[in-house]
Amino acid sequence: MEKVLVLDFGGQYNQLIARRVREHSIYAEIKAYNKITVDEIKEEGYKGIIFTGGPNSVYDPSSPHFDERILDLGIPILGICYGCQLMAYMAKGKVVSAENVSEYGKITLTVGDHPLFEGVDRTSVCWMSHRDYISEAPEGFETIAHTDMCPVAAMADDSRRLYGVQFHPEVTHTQFGSRMLCNFLYRICMLQGDWKMESFVESKVAEYREKLKGKKVLCALSGGVDSSVAAILLHKAVGDNLVCVFVDHGLLRKGEAESVERTFRDQFNINLIKVDAEERFLSKLSGVTEPERKRKIIGEEFIRVFEDEAKKIGKVSYLVQGTIYPDVIESGAGDASTIKSHHNVGGLPSVIDFDEIVEPLRDLFKDEVRQVGLKLDIPEELVFRQPFPGPGLAIRIIGEITKEKLDTLRDADAIFREEIKNAGFEHSTNQYFAVLTDTLSVGVMGDERTYGRTVVLRAVTTDDFMTAEWSRIPYDVLERASSRITNEVKGITRVTYDITSKPPATVEWE
């Protein structure tokens, strides 16, 4: 399989770059700059390399650098933003800081005649974000694009197959960004495009059919998209040797436990064990208010429940989880900073009673997981359901978790989701839910003073869940949801709507 390496120098768009490459049917994987060597890059057989952006200055000795021998491997390299400056710096060009050439946001780009810009208009909009610039391209490089303020907006050394762009082609704000990446992959790296979901499903089923032959396999089933696809993929590989354990930890949405049980036991005929563990989880979470502690506690308790169930059914060596690529990156894999610990990655205890954790979707982004689900003939209503976090409502309740708060949030959340569906917006917004805050405020009901909690409604639109825009839900829909929540849910006096995008926020509140 053809592979492209995304060498991460701390850029905020590292996942997005990899995702954009995969959109062109090329497999891309992210490695931190200090977690792989030049020799390992050669051994892995990468057909192309992309240097990501980053917040540092290349001339700062403490900034992320790399072995300059990488430039002589003969593998095509595309440097983006910081990656472009680093390439110039390693190749003995000049990178300097100057206030009058800093560019942020949408900038007009002028390109020259070069294969990287085949099919790109001579002038178009690109997305810039830099305070340093290349004042002098290295020997052997030609300048192939510029802006009014940036003399070297793109450069190329065709003889060494080295290319750099000061802007970000991976973001949608860059008008021809997708075309530029396609040109790099197909016209410069000369790739064929063999990354297909059909081949992924076939290879994974074959891999696990051989690897897990005759073995008992336990699947951690939450009922969400990721764990559902992982479960059905493994069921296709090992059949009745798969046992799915669905833990009702008391942190699910209204009616969710019943729906999961009905779908997987009756529709897919999968061997399902439902564990009622609400009291067990609430006991562990009692008095806990810090979000990361909640995640760690829930992650560990999940594993302990699975271990207990595994002992009841005999020796089980393998635990299946629906971990996906953003989970791994956001939980601080490699050199990435930890945004939040996902219950099935950063939340796992260090010692577990399984020989191995099987994560068939670990290398996939969310939309790729959905594609796999469709290839497995999973109904669209399940494949395209909105995501629900593994820790459940525990990270949608600010502060301590109690049964009373959970019931309150369940009711408010159900009303909001119902109003979204009634208005026909369930497919135009990708995730929508309610959050119960720890803020109390004064209200008036029936001419009497009340003092109750504040609910926040959250809805976002995204194609990859790495970035997200807050959804422009019509006021009348929000009004109906607010009116119903304050009238039908006891203890709620105020409803607000979150209009923060990702970044700077995350989709979830905790």
Side-chain angles (χ1 to χ4, degrees), residues 2 24-26 186 191-196:
E2 299 170 326
H24 293 291
S25 301
I26 305 296
Y186 286 94
L191 299 175
Q192 301 301 310
D194 61 359
W195 174 244
K196 309 287 186 185

Side-chain angles (χ1 to χ4, degrees), residues 40 42 77 82 84 93 108 157 187 214 256 263 319 350 373 377 418 428-429 504 506:
E40 289 170 337
K42 290 169 60 177
I77 302 176
Y82 176 90
C84 176
T108 299
D157 183 340
R187 295 180 60 83
E256 189 128 41
T263 299
L319 172 66
S350 57
D377 295 322
E418 183 179 316
S428 59
T429 186
T506 55

Side-chain angles (χ1 to χ4, degrees), residues 183-215:
N183 287 337
F184 174 71
L185 297 169
Y186 286 94
R187 295 180 60 83
I188 293 173
C189 298
M190 304 300 291
L191 299 175
Q192 301 301 310
D194 61 359
W195 174 244
K196 309 287 186 185
M197 285 302 104
E198 293 90 341
S199 58
F200 174 86
V201 172
E202 292 169 2
S203 64
K204 282 297 178 183
V205 169
E207 174 189 344
Y208 290 121
R209 183 172 288 149
E210 176 66 26
K211 180 178 180 178
L212 305 178
K213 186 176 182 179
K215 304 289 186 182

Side-chain angles (χ1 to χ4, degrees), residues 218-245:
L218 191 64
C219 179
L221 179 65
S222 71
V225 176
D226 303 332
S227 67
S228 297
V229 172
I232 294 170
L233 181 67
L234 264 295
H235 186 252
K236 193 175 182 69
V238 303
D240 291 340
N241 281 333
L242 174 71
V243 178
C244 290
V245 175

Side-chain angles (χ1 to χ4, degrees), residues 413-423 432 484:
D413 180 74
I415 289 171
F416 183 44
R417 290 189 289 119
E418 183 179 316
E419 289 301 328
I420 289 288
K421 183 177 181 180
N422 290 343
Y432 45 95
R484 285 190 59 194

Side-chain angles (χ1 to χ4, degrees), residues 121-134:
D121 287 356
R122 179 168 174 78
T123 60
S124 62
V125 172
C126 72
W127 184 261
M128 286 281 195
S129 179
H130 68 98
R131 64 180 180 273
D132 297 333
Y133 76 107
I134 300 168

Side-chain angles (χ1 to χ4, degrees), residues 190-390:
M190 304 300 291
L191 299 175
Q192 301 301 310
D194 61 359
W195 174 244
K196 309 287 186 185
M197 285 302 104
E198 293 90 341
S199 58
F200 174 86
V201 172
E202 292 169 2
S203 64
K204 282 297 178 183
V205 169
E207 174 189 344
Y208 290 121
R209 183 172 288 149
E210 176 66 26
K211 180 178 180 178
L212 305 178
K213 186 176 182 179
K215 304 289 186 182
K216 285 281 189 180
V217 182
L218 191 64
C219 179
L221 179 65
S222 71
V225 176
D226 303 332
S227 67
S228 297
V229 172
I232 294 170
L233 181 67
L234 264 295
H235 186 252
K236 193 175 182 69
V238 303
D240 291 340
N241 281 333
L242 174 71
V243 178
C244 290
V245 175
F246 170 55
V247 179
D248 182 2
H249 47 24
L251 307 171
L252 297 170
R253 290 172 291 199
K254 194 170 187 175
E256 189 128 41
E258 296 79 7
S259 175
V260 169
E261 186 172 15
R262 182 173 58 253
T263 299
F264 282 85
R265 182 170 285 148
D266 299 342
Q267 183 171 346
F268 293 112
N269 297 314
I270 289 178
N271 188 1
L272 178 70
I273 297 173
K274 180 174 178 288
V275 183
D276 295 313
E278 179 182 49
E279 186 176 335
R280 178 172 177 172
F281 275 82
L282 292 185
S283 175
K284 292 285 185 179
L285 291 167
S286 178
V288 178
T289 60
E290 204 276 317
E292 279 295 285
R293 278 200 64 206
K294 291 179 185 178
R295 289 177 176 273
K296 297 286 186 180
I297 289 169
I298 293 167
E300 178 162 355
E301 202 60 24
F302 258 106
I303 292 295
R304 299 307 170 217
V305 171
F306 294 140
E307 288 174 341
D308 291 345
E309 294 304 316
K311 291 171 184 175
K312 296 177 185 178
I313 63 177
K315 174 60 178 175
V316 176
S317 300
Y318 298 92
L319 172 66
V320 179
Q321 292 194 147
T323 308
I324 65 174
Y325 208 23
D327 295 341
V328 177
I329 300 300
E330 288 191 347
S331 294
D335 195 54
S337 61
T338 300
I339 298 172
K340 56 187 177 183
S341 293
H342 289 263
H343 79 285
N344 54 348
V345 184
L348 291 176
S350 57
V351 179
I352 59 176
D353 287 345
F354 300 98
D355 296 338
E356 187 176 335
I357 292 179
V358 177
E359 297 170 316
L361 311 177
R362 187 181 178 90
D363 295 327
L364 301 186
F365 292 100
K366 176 69 74 174
D367 57 327
E368 293 175 317
V369 173
R370 297 189 197 280
Q371 292 178 48
V372 171
L374 294 176
K375 299 301 179 186
L376 291 168
D377 295 322
I378 301 174
E380 288 192 12
E381 58 266 25
L382 177 56
V383 171
F384 289 102
R385 68 181 300 188
Q386 60 166 308
F388 186 62

